[in-house]
Amino acid sequence: MGGGDSDIAPHPEKIKIVATCLAVAVGISLLGFYLKSGDEWRSNWSLSLNKKKKKKPIRVYMDGCFDMMHYGHCNALRQARALGDQLVVGVVSDAEIIANKGPPVTPLHERMIMVNAVKWVDEVISDAPYAITEDFMKKLFDEYNIDYIIHGDDPCVLPDGTDAYALAKKAGRYKQIKRTEGVSSTDIVGRMLLCTRERSISDSHNHSSLQRQFSHGHSQKFEAGGSGTITRVSHFLPTSRRIVQFSNGKGPGDDARIVYIDGAFDLFHAGHVEILRVARALGDFLLVGIHNDQTVSAKRGAHRPIMNLHERSLSVLACQYVDEVIIGAPWEISKDMITTFNISSVVHGSIAENDDFQEERDNPYAVPISMGIFKVLDSPLDITTTTIIRRIVSNHEAYQKRNQKKGESEKRYYEDKTYVSGD
């Protein structure tokens, strides 16, 4: 029994038990891993599915002539956009307007510029029909993925006296917004025709009282040429809430390059929009100064402006290129003003009502010129407020008939009780 190694071989049963325990432990670990991976995969798949469901935006459609586009149109588009995530706007063709209402003051390409520039518009369809037909409604739903068709609570009447939105209402895809009181394209045309009529009667006697009415929202009615057409001047009443609704609510950043441009911006048109677009591209923040009614009247004539200060301010604020406005901006730009608003450059369009400002004894841009921050920009369009007025005056009989035609259609529409209020 020599004193050799004392190692004793392990018992086979013990080895079997240990191996079994190890196998069970490994199995449980692997099962936990796979279960955890499966839960994560299912969770990620579920999140992805939910995201896909949430991604589909609600697309709403609104159409119109948008002739002589004003703050009432813009407010309608703002309300329509609030009913969905994306707003698609149809702009009615010139031919359709002529057939249903009479000649438009602004042609299609100018109206397209105006609508595209509104800050609440996501997409624009050109040459839209005046009435929503079955074929066009199907196209809206299938090709443009429109969920709802929007219109104001004012009637849109076809020449036969029927509702232009009857099919959309019948399909249950119609929603209604509140009309902006106090302005319409018909009303604005009436203001200009009233201007022309008053001037022809007596420039010296009536011009001051008429200007006061334009500026302060008092109304005056007249019967034009025995046609029974009644027009009126503005009775728009501005509120702080409306201005807030139109404002961006954001100021410039600390290092922002602020560009300043000023003007009357009366009868806000495509020429205004295009020069604002060019001005905005020169910096990070576009500040627009809007002259008050008294200043515009003194510089442009007693019968101007056609639109009062607050009406003009809202039209400019609705433009996507504008970041902020000064309501009632001074005619002359001072050093204090440049310092207060941290203005980097002052610009002016080459096409403007007062393009002879440099010949004036008191040049309103003398200070920014002396500071080397003034620049005249090439205006993309040769259009001014006077251009718009001349279009109407030169064809005033057609526009008077258009105003009368609209009034008669609306009267017949209400009498037939075809107007259905949509919710």
Side-chain angles (χ1 to χ4, degrees):
M1 312 244 186
D5 293 333
S6 59
D7 292 346
I8 300 174
H11 197 280
E13 286 296 324
K14 290 182 179 179
I15 293 173
K16 189 175 179 180
I17 291 168
V18 170
T20 301
C21 289
L22 285 171
V24 170
V26 170
I28 290 170
S29 297
L30 288 173
L31 180 63
F33 172 78
Y34 283 117
L35 286 173
K36 185 178 180 183
S37 297
D39 286 341
E40 287 178 356
W41 181 84
R42 279 189 292 274
S43 176
N44 289 337
W45 179 81
S46 178
L47 285 171
S48 177
L49 194 65
N50 287 335
K51 281 181 181 178
K52 284 181 180 178
K53 286 180 179 178
K54 290 178 182 177
K55 272 184 180 178
K56 185 187 180 307
I58 295 173
R59 286 168 63 83
V60 296
Y61 173 82
M62 187 172 199
D63 61 10
C65 300
F66 303 106
D67 193 19
M68 295 183 62
M69 194 162 184
H70 50 72
Y71 67 92
H73 290 133
C74 297
N75 193 45
L77 294 174
R78 179 190 66 80
Q79 292 180 78
R81 179 63 171 74
L83 295 176
D85 302 307
Q86 295 174 357
L87 174 60
V88 180
V89 180
V91 182
V92 177
S93 69
D94 292 342
E96 286 275 280
I97 296 175
I98 292 169
N100 289 278
K101 298 179 72 173
V105 177
T106 48
L108 179 62
H109 72 276
E110 290 180 24
R111 292 184 285 117
M112 287 291 292
I113 289 171
M114 297 299 293
V115 175
N116 268 304
V118 176
K119 63 173 69 174
W120 300 288
V121 175
D122 298 291
E123 189 177 336
V124 181
I125 300 172
S126 180
D127 290 306
Y130 188 80
I132 302 288
T133 62
E134 284 194 31
D135 288 343
F136 186 69
M137 189 166 67
K138 188 176 188 304
K139 186 176 183 179
L140 288 176
F141 296 158
D142 297 345
E143 293 183 27
Y144 291 97
N145 299 313
I146 298 300
D147 295 290
Y148 298 102
I149 293 169
I150 317 293
H151 192 257
D153 57 8
D154 55 318
C156 185
V157 188
L158 298 176
D160 63 1
T162 58
D163 183 1
Y165 294 90
L167 289 173
K169 292 173 181 177
K170 187 178 179 181
R173 305 281 284 273
Y174 175 85
K175 287 193 175 184
Q176 191 166 275
I177 58 170
K178 185 173 176 56
R179 181 187 181 278
T180 303
E181 295 298 331
V183 69
S184 69
S185 297
T186 304
D187 167 61
I188 295 169
V189 168
R191 296 190 206 181
M192 278 181 277
L193 294 176
L194 176 59
C195 260
T196 307
R197 184 175 186 272
E198 288 291 333
R199 284 170 65 180
S200 67
I201 293 171
S202 172
D203 278 334
S204 60
H205 183 263
N206 290 321
H207 71 271
S208 59
S209 62
L210 182 63
Q211 177 55 39
R212 283 195 296 272
Q213 289 164 11
F214 278 176
S215 300
H216 299 106
H218 300 152
S219 64
Q220 174 176 323
K221 297 183 178 181
F222 78 103
E223 191 170 304
S227 65
T229 302
I230 299 298
T231 55
R232 64 188 185 279
V233 295
S234 171
H235 56 74
F236 169 68
L237 298 175
T239 64
S240 58
R241 187 169 68 92
R242 179 72 76 227
I243 292 172
V244 169
Q245 289 170 340
F246 274 52
S247 300
N248 287 346
K250 293 180 181 178
D254 293 336
D255 300 320
R257 179 174 175 77
I258 300 172
V259 179
Y260 179 76
I261 186 170
D262 62 0
F265 298 99
D266 196 15
L267 298 177
F268 195 63
H269 53 71
H272 290 138
V273 168
E274 286 295 272
I275 196 62
L276 291 175
R277 177 181 60 80
V278 173
R280 180 63 175 80
L282 297 177
D284 308 305
F285 192 91
L286 182 60
L287 177 64
V288 181
I290 304 173
H291 300 141
N292 65 31
D293 297 342
Q294 290 72 28
T295 298
V296 177
S297 181
K299 299 295 179 180
R300 310 285 167 81
H303 295 278
R304 304 276 288 275
I306 303 298
M307 310 291 283
N308 69 37
L309 175 61
H310 290 94
E311 292 177 308
R312 293 181 282 121
S313 298
L314 289 178
S315 292
V316 174
L317 274 172
C319 181
Q320 64 168 301
Y321 308 120
V322 176
D323 295 291
E324 182 65 284
V325 303
I326 299 176
I327 302 174
W331 178 252
E332 294 184 9
I333 300 170
S334 66
K335 182 71 167 64
D336 283 346
M337 179 180 168
I338 291 169
T339 303
T340 299
F341 291 99
N342 195 26
I343 295 168
S344 304
S345 62
V346 177
V347 299
H348 187 81
S350 59
I351 303 295
E353 301 275 352
N354 63 320
D355 55 3
D356 58 348
F357 60 89
Q358 298 201 49
E359 298 174 11
E360 294 181 14
R361 186 178 63 181
D362 298 319
N363 186 339
Y365 302 106
V367 171
I369 289 172
S370 68
M371 295 173 66
I373 62 170
F374 180 77
K375 184 177 181 181
V376 174
L377 305 178
D378 289 332
S379 298
L381 294 178
D382 186 5
I383 303 172
T384 66
T385 300
T386 299
T387 306
I388 306 298
I389 293 173
R390 282 175 179 164
R391 289 177 187 176
I392 292 171
V393 172
S394 64
N395 200 17
H396 67 278
E397 288 184 7
Y399 293 119
Q400 283 178 349
K401 289 178 182 177
R402 168 178 158 173
N403 284 14
Q404 184 181 15
K405 184 178 179 181
K406 182 177 179 183
E408 289 173 351
S409 295
E410 289 182 2
K411 182 180 178 182
R412 183 169 64 251
Y413 185 80
Y414 283 119
E415 285 174 350
D416 293 343
K417 292 188 274 191
T418 55
Y419 179 51
V420 180
S421 176
D423 295 323

